Amino acid sequence: MKSEDKEFDINEMAITVEVDSDVIDKVRSGEITHIALQINEHNKNMILEGIDGNLVLVIDDMPTTYHGCYLYNNGVFPYAIKNSLSFLILNGGEDDCLTRIISVDTEPGTRFNYQGNGKPIVEDPNGDSCIWEVSFEVVPMPVEPRHYLMRWNPSISSFKEKDYKECIENMVHGMFRMNWSIYEWEEARRGDSFYMLRTGDYKAGIVFYGQFISDPYPADDWAGSTKRRMYVDLICMDPTDPREKPHLSLDKLKKEISGFDWSKGHSGALLPKHIVTKLDELDDEEEDVFPLAN
């Protein structure tokens, strides 16, 4: 399961957004979590002319340089973001940062009458056009992320199988969110990766994977004791159907990676690199078990 390491065509799954260099630092630190897409003369043609491009317009003509703006289209946001658009590359000149898109917001702004390319905007609350603002919530993809094994036993966890089913039913952009306790939290950072290992029943195995979208933080014990635990917020991807056994079952993990104790341990164990490498190899053997992103 090597979502950040698999080879993919970046032109099909990402677009580049020019930002100030300090924005990249703030995205990496978590101070900035949303990036506004600015459509301008520089990147407009790249987006419009690529047949396999990431933004598909439903109009034939558009203003030239506005902040994420297209014709109003009867109040409906007039372009669709293809499922293949999973990443933004933030370019700060000498520094690039690959980020995963985890949500998209679109807001209508100034309404106006479109008079043709290069002509001025005449604001009109009933105009036929609108300046739209597009904001992507992103999480950075570290060059060398740490990988953690989270554990889930539905019989004793506050997160029950019915909760899991509800999360799957309400996924957005192929993901759902939750927080989870992490034992080895000292080195964990926003952007690191995890595998969720279900335990305690016949459906034991890795049931989904994802990324941390927060640094660790303290909160009350999920089990109800007086002690404090450390947690991380997660985005969770490619979940196994709750009615089925996972492709990477606990039995297979024990057989193929026998040097690691899969049956016992805390939730949030930092995995050694050789274990991650072996998981990658098992992933390659399972066709479409853990696709990069949907």
Side-chain angles (χ1 to χ4, degrees):
M1 188 190 313
K2 46 187 178 181
S3 60
E4 66 279 358
D5 300 324
K6 282 187 174 180
E7 294 183 1
F8 58 89
D9 187 342
I10 195 67
N11 294 315
E12 293 183 358
M13 304 192 73
I15 57 175
T16 298
V17 178
E18 303 293 333
V19 298
D20 293 335
S21 57
D22 66 328
V23 170
I24 291 180
D25 294 334
K26 291 178 180 179
V27 167
R28 287 174 174 148
S29 70
E31 184 177 347
I32 291 178
T33 58
H34 290 72
I35 298 295
L37 175 63
Q38 296 190 28
I39 305 299
N40 54 39
E41 195 65 34
H42 175 70
N43 62 24
K44 179 192 69 172
N45 291 335
M46 174 192 73
I47 294 170
L48 295 180
E49 294 176 0
I51 296 175
D52 294 324
N54 302 296
L55 303 181
V56 181
L57 297 178
V58 296
I59 59 171
D60 295 325
D61 201 2
M62 61 171 287
T64 305
T65 56
Y66 302 121
H67 184 77
C69 95
Y70 298 110
L71 295 186
Y72 190 69
N73 198 30
N74 297 319
V76 178
F77 186 63
Y79 66 69
I81 299 172
K82 292 178 62 175
N83 287 337
S84 61
L85 180 59
S86 301
F87 304 94
L88 292 184
I89 301 171
L90 307 182
N91 184 294
E94 297 182 356
D95 190 12
D96 285 339
C97 178
L98 178 64
T99 64
R100 184 193 299 277
I101 298 168
I102 58 178
S103 73
V104 183
D105 292 318
T106 59
E107 291 289 339
T110 303
R111 186 86 175 262
F112 63 98
N113 286 310
Y114 176 54
Q115 303 182 88
N117 287 342
K119 295 185 178 180
I121 288 178
V122 178
E123 293 190 22
D124 182 345
N126 299 311
D128 61 4
S129 302
C130 184
I131 297 177
W132 290 81
E133 295 193 2
V134 188
S135 177
F136 295 96
E137 183 182 5
V138 297
V139 61
M141 303 286 288
V143 177
E144 295 184 359
R146 299 175 181 86
H147 297 75
Y148 289 81
L149 184 70
M150 320 302 272
R151 286 183 167 89
W152 171 44
N153 186 332
S155 65
I156 62 174
S157 173
S158 60
F159 183 72
K160 303 300 183 182
E161 183 151 324
K162 65 178 179 63
D163 300 311
Y164 180 41
K165 292 177 181 177
E166 186 174 322
C167 286
I168 293 175
E169 291 170 357
N170 294 285
M171 288 197 299
V172 178
H173 300 295
M175 307 174 192
F176 63 90
R177 304 188 191 203
M178 58 168 45
N179 67 358
W180 209 261
S181 61
I182 179 169
Y183 184 73
E184 297 181 34
W185 58 270
E186 292 85 355
E187 296 183 53
R189 295 293 181 268
R190 179 171 172 265
D192 285 341
S193 299
F194 75 89
Y195 315 88
M196 183 62 76
L197 177 66
R198 178 172 179 159
T199 63
D201 58 25
Y202 73 97
K203 290 185 281 189
I206 294 178
V207 289
F208 54 84
Y209 74 100
Q211 275 186 277
F212 298 165
I213 57 173
S214 75
D215 290 340
Y217 58 89
D220 292 339
D221 181 19
W222 60 265
S225 74
T226 57
K227 68 180 181 180
R228 303 278 279 175
R229 289 184 186 268
M230 298 298 291
Y231 294 84
V232 284
D233 296 333
L234 314 173
I235 51 167
C236 310
M237 296 170 276
D238 196 38
T240 298
D241 188 320
R243 299 166 296 183
E244 300 177 359
K245 294 182 179 179
H247 294 279
L248 287 186
S249 67
L250 181 59
D251 289 340
K252 183 167 186 176
L253 293 171
K254 289 180 177 179
K255 178 182 177 182
E256 300 293 337
I257 312 179
S258 57
F260 185 83
D261 190 351
W262 296 98
S263 299
K264 299 178 182 179
H266 297 282
S267 178
L270 178 60
L271 290 171
K273 289 185 178 180
H274 72 278
I275 298 294
V276 176
T277 299
K278 186 61 179 177
L279 280 170
D280 287 348
E281 293 172 358
L282 292 178
D283 176 25
D284 288 338
E285 295 172 6
E286 297 288 344
E287 182 178 3
D288 294 330
V289 173
F290 300 116
L292 181 62
N294 295 318

